[in-house]
Amino acid sequence: MRALQCVELGMPDKLQLNDVPDPEASPEHVVIENKAASVNFPDVLMIQGLYQFQPELPFIPGGESAGIVSAVGDGVENISVGDRVFAMTGTGAFSEKISAHNSSVVKIPDNMGFETAAALPMTYGTSLYALKQRANLKAGETLLVLGAAGGVGLATVELGKAMGARVIAAASTNEKVNLCIQHGADEGFIYPSGVLNRDQQKELSNKIKELSGGIGPNVIYDPVGGSYSEPCLRSIAWEGRYLVIGFAAGADQIPKMPLNLTLLKGCQIVGVFWGAWVGMHPEENKKNFEELFKLHSEGKINPEVSDSFTLDDGALAIAHLKDRKAKGKVIIEI
Ligand SMILES: NC(=O)c1ccc[n+]([C@@H]2O[C@H](COP(=O)([O-])OP(=O)(O)OC[C@H]3O[C@@H](n4cnc5c(N)ncnc54)[C@H](OP(=O)(O)O)[C@@H]3O)[C@@H](O)[C@H]2O)c1
């Protein structure tokens, strides 16, 4: 089969499209013929050796895919050949076939296309867990989303609306803000790109307070980090919840927060590590996926696929996300 391989660490242009042996269905595993795979920020980090989990070289990047089961190994009871599924494997998805442990495979509804199914698990899974289990977001509360037109950002905009929140979307361009409004955000604004100076940070804090009726957002969803985080925390409402999702602005710019702010605001800084939680609470995660399928069938969430690439151009798909050009999800069709 053909697969995009990382044979040496570096930028996406170092990836190679190679012929590799087909995977087999070992015990408790299924083989899936991939139809679509989606790109996530960890793929960008992993191929450079910058992610918290580092596979041995050579490896096939790609954390999630959707397709049709073509073989099942011993001990697999809940999945059969011919089932339409998505799989969350961490690596291996940018390939024609993948072997996945049955615990990471979920059957998808008949009315859900493979592109949508590949776009959904990590972004909507992370964001539902963050808003529901970690922030306990309530209807009527105000939710600020940073990087709101990105993968997890746009999922959060939609889920925040579906949960009855008033959503403020923050992003780096007018086009991105408009996309968030189309996906249900009540308000949106552009923040400057790059490292913010003191005046820009103050302006950001003031803008957020102004858009949230002077009291600040109850929940802040931050997948960006860098110099954006502290001014956002300074704007949070009394008893607010600040969700630490990721550091797209750069691992060299992980923010350090003044703890007096948590005292003065009576607020919480809440870490969100969806993958670890899924490992510890698979049944609760399964319920979250059922909720996501229901929201999708009701038209309340609708993953945005802004760009599709072929497997031959898979490296370009990863570069697209790395270069901050992605809106919603970037898909590799297989
Ligand atoms: N905690 C968890 O369980 C979990 C799960 C999934 C993902 N994540 C993390 O969430 C973050 C976002 O992931 P994603 O897949 O949604 O990525 P994405 O689609 O690329 O979105 C990231 C957004 O961050 C903003 N950004 C700001 N500075 C950036 C920079 N220097 N380079 C690139 N983007 C920048 C961009 O929006 P603007 O241009 O509008 O600023 C972009 O849309 C990553 O750090 C990822 O590791 C965490």
Side-chain angles (χ1 to χ4, degrees):
M1 69 162 183
R2 292 181 325 141
L4 200 64
Q5 270 195 317
C6 179
V7 292
E8 59 174 313
L9 298 177
M11 290 298 160
D13 61 1
K14 291 261 191 291
L15 295 168
Q16 297 177 8
L17 188 64
N18 288 332
D19 276 319
V20 300
D22 276 15
E24 287 177 11
S26 52
E28 294 179 13
H29 285 66
V30 307
V31 174
I32 301 163
E33 276 185 21
N34 287 328
K35 299 290 180 193
S38 79
V39 185
N40 291 288
F41 210 81
D43 304 322
V44 176
L45 300 177
M46 217 181 272
I47 62 169
Q48 298 176 75
L50 299 175
Y51 194 54
Q52 56 221 22
F53 153 72
Q54 199 50 52
E56 267 180 45
L57 293 171
F59 71 93
I60 302 168
E64 55 190 358
S65 61
I68 299 173
V69 175
S70 60
V72 296
D74 291 343
V76 175
E77 286 167 3
N78 49 343
I79 298 156
S80 312
V81 170
D83 281 347
R84 300 170 76 252
V85 296
F86 66 57
M88 299 154 294
T89 48
T91 57
F94 301 156
S95 60
E96 290 176 331
K97 291 181 186 175
I98 188 165
S99 166
H101 191 271
N102 64 353
S103 63
S104 69
V105 178
V106 176
K107 286 189 221 174
I108 60 174
D110 292 343
N111 63 354
M112 184 177 276
F114 289 119
E115 280 203 353
T116 302
L120 185 124
M122 189 182 289
T123 49
Y124 285 81
T126 298
S127 298
L128 183 58
Y129 164 60
L131 297 181
K132 188 170 131 180
Q133 275 91 2
R134 300 301 284 147
N136 191 21
L137 178 71
K138 297 179 203 76
E141 288 193 318
T142 299
L143 166 68
L144 169 70
V145 186
L146 301 187
V152 293
L154 206 55
T156 306
V157 167
E158 289 193 340
L159 287 169
K161 281 311 291 175
M163 291 166 81
R166 182 168 170 273
V167 177
I168 303 172
S172 62
T173 67
N174 205 16
E175 203 188 348
K176 287 184 175 185
V177 169
N178 284 342
L179 182 70
C180 297
I181 304 282
Q182 282 163 28
H183 281 256
D186 298 279
E187 306 263 9
F189 70 95
I190 301 171
Y191 51 50
S193 294
V195 179
L196 308 190
N197 63 33
R198 276 202 168 278
D199 287 344
Q200 289 173 315
Q201 291 193 1
K202 247 194 178 140
E203 265 174 46
L204 176 58
S205 236
N206 290 340
K207 182 76 187 169
I208 297 167
K209 277 191 200 139
E210 177 198 318
L211 290 175
S212 50
I215 59 166
N218 306 96
V219 174
I220 297 179
Y221 185 98
D222 180 8
V224 177
S227 56
Y228 300 83
S229 301
E230 188 180 325
C232 289
L233 183 66
R234 285 186 184 279
S235 75
I236 205 166
W238 173 249
E239 292 187 346
R241 287 85 74 205
Y242 192 99
L243 296 167
V244 181
I245 305 296
F247 309 101
D252 55 338
Q253 291 182 48
I254 292 182
K256 294 180 176 58
M257 298 289 208
L259 277 185
N260 62 321
L261 294 179
T262 61
L263 182 154
L264 293 170
K265 302 270 182 176
C267 70
Q268 300 168 46
I269 298 175
V270 185
V272 177
F273 188 172
W274 177 65
W277 177 77
V278 172
M280 287 180 243
H281 302 279
E283 288 308 314
E284 273 189 71
N285 182 57
K286 219 169 128 192
K287 281 188 209 150
N288 273 11
F289 277 143
E290 280 159 17
E291 194 171 331
L292 290 173
F293 290 154
K294 185 165 177 286
L295 288 169
H296 178 258
S297 72
E298 293 168 351
K300 291 184 178 159
I301 61 170
N302 187 17
E304 167 87 18
V305 174
S306 63
D307 302 277
S308 294
F309 293 79
T310 61
L311 191 55
D312 301 70
D313 284 337
L316 296 180
I318 302 177
H320 197 70
L321 196 90
K322 182 184 89 49
D323 295 340
R324 212 168 168 170
K325 290 182 188 156
K327 293 183 290 301
K329 292 292 290 186
V330 175
I331 292 287
I332 298 178
E333 286 184 47
I334 299 156

